[in-house]
Amino acid sequence: MSAQARARDFPLPPAPPEAELPEPLPEPSRGEIRLEAVMAALSDPLRLGIVRKLLLESVDHDHTCTWFGLDRPKSSLTHHFRTLREAGLIRQRQYGPSRRNRVRVEDLEARFPGLLALVADWTPAE
């Protein structure tokens, strides 16, 4: 891993006032995030790409599944996002009919320093 990757700061979107935030969907606490679950979730290139896109392109807010522009059935995307959430990689909140996603940067950096830099540096296979 390059020194540049290790020194990377991932932007954290500004938090809206707590009163306006819906509760996150069920997820492991910081201490319950397991490396084997994280690695299993990231073993799928689609899920790895989702996390990478959130890390590198997310700016001000959580993003819905449609933001990713993935040409997959909704049921398939629901499965992939649930896998990422249950592994502790993303936080999902329900806003009306849509779920919005964000990487749990602070929790993952605390548990597995440098992991997100590796994900950000990953290059998808051609």
Side-chain angles (χ1 to χ4, degrees):
M1 177 172 40
S2 68
Q4 179 185 16
R6 284 193 302 275
R8 180 178 286 140
D9 265 338
F10 296 103
L12 292 175
E18 203 58 39
E20 296 177 18
L21 282 177
E23 285 296 312
L25 296 174
E27 64 186 30
S29 68
R30 179 183 284 184
E32 295 172 330
I33 299 174
R34 306 285 310 157
L35 182 60
E36 61 272 20
V38 168
M39 298 306 285
L42 292 175
S43 69
D44 183 280
L46 178 72
R47 292 191 293 260
L48 184 56
I50 288 169
V51 174
R52 184 173 185 269
K53 185 172 176 87
L54 279 171
L55 283 172
L56 299 178
E57 298 178 27
S58 182
V59 182
D60 299 331
H61 53 282
D62 301 346
H63 295 282
T64 63
C65 296
T66 57
W67 176 77
F68 295 89
L70 301 169
D71 187 24
R72 298 285 176 100
K74 185 175 181 178
S75 59
S76 174
L77 292 177
T78 298
H79 163 74
H80 288 294
F81 280 92
R82 184 181 66 240
T83 300
L84 291 170
R85 177 175 44 85
E86 290 176 350
L89 284 155
I90 64 171
R91 172 162 291 143
Q92 288 188 308
R93 294 181 192 272
Q94 189 79 38
Y95 291 82
S98 66
R99 290 184 178 177
R100 297 191 182 177
N101 307 280
R102 152 184 317 195
V103 176
R104 294 176 60 183
V105 173
E106 293 172 334
D107 293 336
L108 291 164
E109 282 298 310
R111 291 285 289 152
F112 312 113
L115 176 68
L116 294 178
L118 292 170
V119 169
D121 284 346
W122 170 71
T123 304
E126 301 273 328

mmCIF file of all heavy atoms in Angstrom, residues 12-49:
data_model
loop_
_atom_site.group_PDB
_atom_site.id
_atom_site.type_symbol
_atom_site.label_atom_id
_atom_site.label_comp_id
_atom_site.label_asym_id
_atom_site.label_seq_id
_atom_site.Cartn_x
_atom_site.Cartn_y
_atom_site.Cartn_z
ATOM 1 N N LEU A 12 -16.030 12.981 5.212
ATOM 2 C CA LEU A 12 -17.227 12.611 5.955
ATOM 3 C C LEU A 12 -18.273 13.682 5.696
ATOM 4 O O LEU A 12 -18.037 14.860 5.957
ATOM 5 C CB LEU A 12 -16.930 12.538 7.461
ATOM 6 C CG LEU A 12 -16.004 11.413 7.887
ATOM 7 C CD1 LEU A 12 -15.686 11.523 9.365
ATOM 8 C CD2 LEU A 12 -16.631 10.078 7.588
ATOM 9 N N PRO A 13 -19.422 13.293 5.137
ATOM 10 C CA PRO A 13 -20.458 14.285 4.872
ATOM 11 C C PRO A 13 -20.903 14.940 6.174
ATOM 12 O O PRO A 13 -20.887 14.306 7.231
ATOM 13 C CB PRO A 13 -21.596 13.463 4.264
ATOM 14 C CG PRO A 13 -20.982 12.187 3.830
ATOM 15 C CD PRO A 13 -19.803 11.955 4.726
ATOM 16 N N PRO A 14 -21.256 16.220 6.110
ATOM 17 C CA PRO A 14 -21.744 16.871 7.333
ATOM 18 C C PRO A 14 -23.031 16.198 7.790
ATOM 19 O O PRO A 14 -23.872 15.837 6.968
ATOM 20 C CB PRO A 14 -21.998 18.314 6.896
ATOM 21 C CG PRO A 14 -22.109 18.265 5.409
ATOM 22 C CD PRO A 14 -21.310 17.084 4.948
ATOM 23 N N ALA A 15 -23.130 15.991 9.074
ATOM 24 C CA ALA A 15 -24.315 15.323 9.620
ATOM 25 C C ALA A 15 -25.463 16.315 9.735
ATOM 26 O O ALA A 15 -25.280 17.422 10.235
ATOM 27 C CB ALA A 15 -23.994 14.744 10.989
ATOM 28 N N PRO A 16 -26.644 15.923 9.262
ATOM 29 C CA PRO A 16 -27.811 16.773 9.478
ATOM 30 C C PRO A 16 -28.159 16.775 10.961
ATOM 31 O O PRO A 16 -27.687 15.924 11.709
ATOM 32 C CB PRO A 16 -28.914 16.109 8.658
ATOM 33 C CG PRO A 16 -28.359 14.864 8.104
ATOM 34 C CD PRO A 16 -26.930 14.743 8.501
ATOM 35 N N PRO A 17 -28.968 17.719 11.387
ATOM 36 C CA PRO A 17 -29.374 17.711 12.797
ATOM 37 C C PRO A 17 -29.943 16.352 13.186
ATOM 38 O O PRO A 17 -30.684 15.735 12.422
ATOM 39 C CB PRO A 17 -30.445 18.804 12.876
ATOM 40 C CG PRO A 17 -30.176 19.675 11.694
ATOM 41 C CD PRO A 17 -29.561 18.807 10.636
ATOM 42 N N GLU A 18 -29.563 15.863 14.351
ATOM 43 C CA GLU A 18 -29.938 14.520 14.792
ATOM 44 C C GLU A 18 -31.452 14.289 14.743
ATOM 45 O O GLU A 18 -31.903 13.205 14.449
ATOM 46 C CB GLU A 18 -29.405 14.293 16.209
ATOM 47 C CG GLU A 18 -29.223 12.855 16.601
ATOM 48 C CD GLU A 18 -28.287 12.058 15.691
ATOM 49 O OE1 GLU A 18 -27.262 12.562 15.237
ATOM 50 O OE2 GLU A 18 -28.623 10.889 15.425
ATOM 51 N N ALA A 19 -32.231 15.323 15.003
ATOM 52 C CA ALA A 19 -33.687 15.180 15.005
ATOM 53 C C ALA A 19 -34.223 14.831 13.623
ATOM 54 O O ALA A 19 -35.299 14.268 13.491
ATOM 55 C CB ALA A 19 -34.331 16.465 15.502
ATOM 56 N N GLU A 20 -33.480 15.163 12.551
ATOM 57 C CA GLU A 20 -33.944 14.921 11.196
ATOM 58 C C GLU A 20 -33.515 13.560 10.654
ATOM 59 O O GLU A 20 -33.937 13.164 9.578
ATOM 60 C CB GLU A 20 -33.419 16.010 10.265
ATOM 61 C CG GLU A 20 -33.960 17.386 10.590
ATOM 62 C CD GLU A 20 -33.373 18.457 9.696
ATOM 63 O OE1 GLU A 20 -32.820 18.117 8.635
ATOM 64 O OE2 GLU A 20 -33.458 19.621 10.079
ATOM 65 N N LEU A 21 -32.664 12.851 11.366
ATOM 66 C CA LEU A 21 -32.151 11.579 10.878
ATOM 67 C C LEU A 21 -33.027 10.408 11.305
ATOM 68 O O LEU A 21 -33.313 10.248 12.485
ATOM 69 C CB LEU A 21 -30.749 11.318 11.431
ATOM 70 C CG LEU A 21 -29.595 12.035 10.783
ATOM 71 C CD1 LEU A 21 -28.303 11.705 11.514
ATOM 72 C CD2 LEU A 21 -29.470 11.662 9.333
ATOM 73 N N PRO A 22 -33.431 9.573 10.348
ATOM 74 C CA PRO A 22 -34.090 8.331 10.751
ATOM 75 C C PRO A 22 -33.051 7.407 11.394
ATOM 76 O O PRO A 22 -31.855 7.529 11.137
ATOM 77 C CB PRO A 22 -34.593 7.731 9.443
ATOM 78 C CG PRO A 22 -34.190 8.646 8.352
ATOM 79 C CD PRO A 22 -33.373 9.747 8.918
ATOM 80 N N GLU A 23 -33.522 6.508 12.209
ATOM 81 C CA GLU A 23 -32.613 5.543 12.832
ATOM 82 C C GLU A 23 -31.975 4.670 11.752
ATOM 83 O O GLU A 23 -32.630 4.317 10.775
ATOM 84 C CB GLU A 23 -33.379 4.651 13.816
ATOM 85 C CG GLU A 23 -33.742 5.342 15.101
ATOM 86 C CD GLU A 23 -32.521 5.747 15.910
ATOM 87 O OE1 GLU A 23 -31.609 4.911 16.099
ATOM 88 O OE2 GLU A 23 -32.482 6.910 16.344
ATOM 89 N N PRO A 24 -30.697 4.293 11.947
ATOM 90 C CA PRO A 24 -30.093 3.368 10.980
ATOM 91 C C PRO A 24 -30.780 2.005 11.048
ATOM 92 O O PRO A 24 -31.309 1.617 12.087
ATOM 93 C CB PRO A 24 -28.644 3.233 11.445
ATOM 94 C CG PRO A 24 -28.436 4.256 12.491
ATOM 95 C CD PRO A 24 -29.764 4.711 12.980
ATOM 96 N N LEU A 25 -30.758 1.297 9.929
ATOM 97 C CA LEU A 25 -31.248 -0.081 9.919
ATOM 98 C C LEU A 25 -30.301 -0.929 10.766
ATOM 99 O O LEU A 25 -29.164 -0.514 11.036
ATOM 100 C CB LEU A 25 -31.311 -0.587 8.486
ATOM 101 C CG LEU A 25 -32.305 0.159 7.587
ATOM 102 C CD1 LEU A 25 -32.187 -0.317 6.152
ATOM 103 C CD2 LEU A 25 -33.720 -0.009 8.094
ATOM 104 N N PRO A 26 -30.714 -2.107 11.207
ATOM 105 C CA PRO A 26 -29.862 -2.932 12.076
ATOM 106 C C PRO A 26 -28.478 -3.168 11.465
ATOM 107 O O PRO A 26 -28.350 -3.510 10.287
ATOM 108 C CB PRO A 26 -30.645 -4.239 12.196
ATOM 109 C CG PRO A 26 -32.059 -3.849 11.948
ATOM 110 C CD PRO A 26 -32.003 -2.730 10.953
ATOM 111 N N GLU A 27 -27.466 -2.961 12.294
ATOM 112 C CA GLU A 27 -26.072 -3.111 11.877
ATOM 113 C C GLU A 27 -25.243 -3.500 13.089
ATOM 114 O O GLU A 27 -25.657 -3.254 14.224
ATOM 115 C CB GLU A 27 -25.542 -1.801 11.289
ATOM 116 C CG GLU A 27 -25.509 -0.685 12.305
ATOM 117 C CD GLU A 27 -25.112 0.673 11.729
ATOM 118 O OE1 GLU A 27 -25.379 0.945 10.552
ATOM 119 O OE2 GLU A 27 -24.539 1.476 12.491
ATOM 120 N N PRO A 28 -24.075 -4.085 12.878
ATOM 121 C CA PRO A 28 -23.224 -4.401 14.038
ATOM 122 C C PRO A 28 -22.641 -3.120 14.630
ATOM 123 O O PRO A 28 -22.393 -2.150 13.910
ATOM 124 C CB PRO A 28 -22.123 -5.287 13.446
ATOM 125 C CG PRO A 28 -22.106 -4.991 11.988
ATOM 126 C CD PRO A 28 -23.487 -4.551 11.622
ATOM 127 N N SER A 29 -22.455 -3.130 15.933
ATOM 128 C CA SER A 29 -21.776 -1.998 16.570
ATOM 129 C C SER A 29 -20.311 -2.020 16.138
ATOM 130 O O SER A 29 -19.827 -3.006 15.573
ATOM 131 C CB SER A 29 -21.878 -2.109 18.089
ATOM 132 O OG SER A 29 -21.120 -3.222 18.532
ATOM 133 N N ARG A 30 -19.592 -0.946 16.418
ATOM 134 C CA ARG A 30 -18.178 -0.878 16.029
ATOM 135 C C ARG A 30 -17.410 -2.093 16.528
ATOM 136 O O ARG A 30 -16.662 -2.721 15.791
ATOM 137 C CB ARG A 30 -17.541 0.399 16.571
ATOM 138 C CG ARG A 30 -16.072 0.508 16.224
ATOM 139 C CD ARG A 30 -15.416 1.731 16.817
ATOM 140 N NE ARG A 30 -15.806 2.914 16.069
ATOM 141 C CZ ARG A 30 -15.324 4.112 16.304
ATOM 142 N NH1 ARG A 30 -14.446 4.308 17.278
ATOM 143 N NH2 ARG A 30 -15.712 5.151 15.588
ATOM 144 N N GLY A 31 -17.585 -2.455 17.772
ATOM 145 C CA GLY A 31 -16.854 -3.579 18.352
ATOM 146 C C GLY A 31 -17.266 -4.938 17.821
ATOM 147 O O GLY A 31 -16.540 -5.918 17.977
ATOM 148 N N GLU A 32 -18.446 -5.015 17.208
ATOM 149 C CA GLU A 32 -18.936 -6.282 16.665
ATOM 150 C C GLU A 32 -18.551 -6.509 15.199
ATOM 151 O O GLU A 32 -18.822 -7.579 14.658
ATOM 152 C CB GLU A 32 -20.463 -6.340 16.770
ATOM 153 C CG GLU A 32 -20.973 -6.367 18.192
ATOM 154 C CD GLU A 32 -22.491 -6.229 18.266
ATOM 155 O OE1 GLU A 32 -23.088 -5.583 17.382
ATOM 156 O OE2 GLU A 32 -23.063 -6.772 19.227
ATOM 157 N N ILE A 33 -17.949 -5.511 14.551
ATOM 158 C CA ILE A 33 -17.564 -5.680 13.142
ATOM 159 C C ILE A 33 -16.414 -6.674 13.086
ATOM 160 O O ILE A 33 -15.382 -6.494 13.719
ATOM 161 C CB ILE A 33 -17.155 -4.330 12.512
ATOM 162 C CG1 ILE A 33 -18.320 -3.344 12.546
ATOM 163 C CG2 ILE A 33 -16.685 -4.541 11.068
ATOM 164 C CD1 ILE A 33 -17.958 -1.937 12.085
ATOM 165 N N ARG A 34 -16.610 -7.749 12.326
ATOM 166 C CA ARG A 34 -15.635 -8.832 12.231
ATOM 167 C C ARG A 34 -14.910 -8.775 10.886
ATOM 168 O O ARG A 34 -15.537 -8.583 9.848
ATOM 169 C CB ARG A 34 -16.329 -10.192 12.361
ATOM 170 C CG ARG A 34 -17.197 -10.349 13.600
ATOM 171 C CD ARG A 34 -16.436 -10.551 14.857
ATOM 172 N NE ARG A 34 -15.453 -11.612 14.647
ATOM 173 C CZ ARG A 34 -14.361 -11.742 15.372
ATOM 174 N NH1 ARG A 34 -14.083 -10.893 16.320
ATOM 175 N NH2 ARG A 34 -13.526 -12.721 15.133
ATOM 176 N N LEU A 35 -13.598 -8.948 10.924
ATOM 177 C CA LEU A 35 -12.799 -8.897 9.707
ATOM 178 C C LEU A 35 -13.260 -9.927 8.686
ATOM 179 O O LEU A 35 -13.358 -9.633 7.495
ATOM 180 C CB LEU A 35 -11.315 -9.078 10.029
ATOM 181 C CG LEU A 35 -10.373 -9.001 8.826
ATOM 182 C CD1 LEU A 35 -10.476 -7.643 8.134
ATOM 183 C CD2 LEU A 35 -8.947 -9.285 9.255
ATOM 184 N N GLU A 36 -13.581 -11.140 9.134
ATOM 185 C CA GLU A 36 -13.989 -12.170 8.181
ATOM 186 C C GLU A 36 -15.299 -11.801 7.488
ATOM 187 O O GLU A 36 -15.486 -12.097 6.303
ATOM 188 C CB GLU A 36 -14.076 -13.557 8.836
ATOM 189 C CG GLU A 36 -15.079 -13.677 9.956
ATOM 190 C CD GLU A 36 -14.559 -13.323 11.343
ATOM 191 O OE1 GLU A 36 -13.540 -12.622 11.470
ATOM 192 O OE2 GLU A 36 -15.201 -13.761 12.320
ATOM 193 N N ALA A 37 -16.221 -11.127 8.189
ATOM 194 C CA ALA A 37 -17.475 -10.690 7.573
ATOM 195 C C ALA A 37 -17.223 -9.567 6.572
ATOM 196 O O ALA A 37 -17.811 -9.541 5.485
ATOM 197 C CB ALA A 37 -18.469 -10.249 8.645
ATOM 198 N N VAL A 38 -16.342 -8.647 6.935
ATOM 199 C CA VAL A 38 -15.990 -7.537 6.037
ATOM 200 C C VAL A 38 -15.331 -8.074 4.772
ATOM 201 O O VAL A 38 -15.695 -7.701 3.650
ATOM 202 C CB VAL A 38 -15.075 -6.525 6.762
ATOM 203 C CG1 VAL A 38 -14.467 -5.528 5.793
ATOM 204 C CG2 VAL A 38 -15.848 -5.810 7.868
ATOM 205 N N MET A 39 -14.374 -8.981 4.934
ATOM 206 C CA MET A 39 -13.669 -9.533 3.774
ATOM 207 C C MET A 39 -14.610 -10.358 2.889
ATOM 208 O O MET A 39 -14.521 -10.312 1.670
ATOM 209 C CB MET A 39 -12.467 -10.364 4.221
ATOM 210 C CG MET A 39 -11.422 -9.548 4.988
ATOM 211 S SD MET A 39 -10.842 -8.103 4.111
ATOM 212 C CE MET A 39 -9.788 -8.868 2.913
ATOM 213 N N ALA A 40 -15.524 -11.097 3.510
ATOM 214 C CA ALA A 40 -16.492 -11.878 2.733
ATOM 215 C C ALA A 40 -17.390 -10.943 1.920
ATOM 216 O O ALA A 40 -17.667 -11.204 0.740
ATOM 217 C CB ALA A 40 -17.325 -12.767 3.647
ATOM 218 N N ALA A 41 -17.835 -9.855 2.536
ATOM 219 C CA ALA A 41 -18.683 -8.896 1.817
ATOM 220 C C ALA A 41 -17.916 -8.251 0.667
ATOM 221 O O ALA A 41 -18.460 -8.044 -0.420
ATOM 222 C CB ALA A 41 -19.208 -7.836 2.774
ATOM 223 N N LEU A 42 -16.652 -7.937 0.891
ATOM 224 C CA LEU A 42 -15.845 -7.284 -0.141
ATOM 225 C C LEU A 42 -15.336 -8.249 -1.206
ATOM 226 O O LEU A 42 -14.756 -7.820 -2.210
ATOM 227 C CB LEU A 42 -14.657 -6.559 0.500
ATOM 228 C CG LEU A 42 -15.004 -5.343 1.360
ATOM 229 C CD1 LEU A 42 -13.757 -4.801 2.027
ATOM 230 C CD2 LEU A 42 -15.697 -4.274 0.527
ATOM 231 N N SER A 43 -15.545 -9.548 -1.013
ATOM 232 C CA SER A 43 -15.047 -10.515 -1.996
ATOM 233 C C SER A 43 -15.831 -10.467 -3.309
ATOM 234 O O SER A 43 -15.358 -10.954 -4.326
ATOM 235 C CB SER A 43 -15.088 -11.938 -1.420
ATOM 236 O OG SER A 43 -16.430 -12.367 -1.263
ATOM 237 N N ASP A 44 -16.998 -9.875 -3.296
ATOM 238 C CA ASP A 44 -17.778 -9.721 -4.517
ATOM 239 C C ASP A 44 -17.383 -8.402 -5.188
ATOM 240 O O ASP A 44 -17.454 -7.348 -4.553
ATOM 241 C CB ASP A 44 -19.268 -9.710 -4.170
ATOM 242 C CG ASP A 44 -20.135 -9.617 -5.402
ATOM 243 O OD1 ASP A 44 -20.282 -8.483 -5.919
ATOM 244 O OD2 ASP A 44 -20.648 -10.647 -5.853
ATOM 245 N N PRO A 45 -16.971 -8.425 -6.459
ATOM 246 C CA PRO A 45 -16.531 -7.195 -7.129
ATOM 247 C C PRO A 45 -17.603 -6.097 -7.179
ATOM 248 O O PRO A 45 -17.266 -4.914 -7.101
ATOM 249 C CB PRO A 45 -16.173 -7.657 -8.550
ATOM 250 C CG PRO A 45 -15.909 -9.111 -8.427
ATOM 251 C CD PRO A 45 -16.790 -9.612 -7.315
ATOM 252 N N LEU A 46 -18.868 -6.463 -7.272
ATOM 253 C CA LEU A 46 -19.923 -5.446 -7.284
ATOM 254 C C LEU A 46 -19.963 -4.713 -5.948
ATOM 255 O O LEU A 46 -20.007 -3.480 -5.902
ATOM 256 C CB LEU A 46 -21.290 -6.072 -7.589
ATOM 257 C CG LEU A 46 -22.448 -5.073 -7.569
ATOM 258 C CD1 LEU A 46 -22.389 -4.158 -8.785
ATOM 259 C CD2 LEU A 46 -23.775 -5.801 -7.516
ATOM 260 N N ARG A 47 -19.918 -5.466 -4.852
ATOM 261 C CA ARG A 47 -19.956 -4.835 -3.528
ATOM 262 C C ARG A 47 -18.694 -4.021 -3.271
ATOM 263 O O ARG A 47 -18.755 -2.924 -2.698
ATOM 264 C CB ARG A 47 -20.170 -5.897 -2.449
ATOM 265 C CG ARG A 47 -21.549 -6.521 -2.519
ATOM 266 C CD ARG A 47 -21.874 -7.366 -1.303
ATOM 267 N NE ARG A 47 -21.081 -8.561 -1.182
ATOM 268 C CZ ARG A 47 -21.481 -9.776 -1.528
ATOM 269 N NH1 ARG A 47 -22.679 -9.957 -2.063
ATOM 270 N NH2 ARG A 47 -20.701 -10.814 -1.354
ATOM 271 N N LEU A 48 -17.563 -4.538 -3.692
ATOM 272 C CA LEU A 48 -16.312 -3.789 -3.561
ATOM 273 C C LEU A 48 -16.406 -2.476 -4.330
ATOM 274 O O LEU A 48 -15.999 -1.417 -3.837
ATOM 275 C CB LEU A 48 -15.145 -4.649 -4.068
ATOM 276 C CG LEU A 48 -13.738 -4.099 -3.945
ATOM 277 C CD1 LEU A 48 -13.385 -3.725 -2.523
ATOM 278 C CD2 LEU A 48 -12.745 -5.130 -4.483
ATOM 279 N N GLY A 49 -16.987 -2.520 -5.513
ATOM 280 C CA GLY A 49 -17.174 -1.312 -6.316
ATOM 281 C C GLY A 49 -18.127 -0.319 -5.669
ATOM 282 O O GLY A 49 -17.920 0.895 -5.744
#
